Amino acid sequence: MLTREVNFALKDGRKAVLRNPRNEDIPGLLDYLVRSAGESDFIMRYPEECAKYTAEGEAKWIEDNNSNENATVLVCEVDGKIAGNCSVHRSPMMKVRHRAFIAIALLKEFWGCGIGTAMFREMEHIAGEWEGVTQLELEFVEGNARARSLYEKRGFRIVGVRPDAYRFKDGTLHNEYVMMKKLPQE
């Protein structure tokens, strides 16, 4: 779903914009996918798994998300560079349509700059505009204290755990936690 652009200042004073991805973002998005996957164990993929992403595939992904009334994907652009992305989506199925799911990732150089908070504000705004959405949900991997802190600051609380949901390259298993936040109702 296409949304408004949100301009804001980072903690260091640089200007940033949250907006829907465009085809001209594809080279930056492909680079971002590989870099972000290599900077944190808490992202779903490893860098070598990003070879499957192509310019054609990203163009289709952009088109599909920008035209989907049940999903919004945003990129954060800082100084002409993709710093991160986020998404919020809901199911078209009636029984679970009241739930919206959030995901977020940032390049390490932009951690702690205020982008995550800005992304959450906008995703919460978007979900709040969807008729009938009463709760937001997300998941995070055990050990990702930085993400957990942001999520708790935004009002999310842990409601479940998937034991041993992630296996890192070193063979260690890590739990995945499910968090939820109720949205205010009018």
Side-chain angles (χ1 to χ4, degrees), residues 83-152:
N85 78 332
C86 61
S87 64
V88 57
H89 68 276
R90 66 178 175 176
S91 172
M93 306 301 293
M94 290 172 62
K95 290 182 180 179
V96 292
R97 193 166 173 82
H98 66 288
R99 300 163 55 198
F101 301 89
I102 290 177
I104 182 175
L106 289 171
L107 292 176
K108 192 172 189 173
E109 69 185 274
F110 296 100
W111 292 359
C113 293
I115 294 172
T117 299
M119 287 178 163
F120 267 86
R121 271 192 212 112
E122 188 59 17
M123 289 186 294
E124 290 170 13
H125 169 78
I126 291 164
E129 295 288 309
W130 285 335
E131 184 179 343
V133 171
T134 61
Q135 68 189 45
L136 300 175
E137 300 177 20
L138 58 80
E139 292 128 7
F140 77 95
V141 180
E142 174 183 25
N144 193 349
R146 181 181 228 45
R148 181 178 180 172
S149 176
L150 171 64
Y151 305 155
E152 288 175 342

Side-chain angles (χ1 to χ4, degrees), residues 74-88:
L74 301 173
V75 296
C76 180
E77 182 181 348
V78 178
D79 298 330
K81 176 181 182 178
I82 302 296
N85 78 332
C86 61
S87 64
V88 57

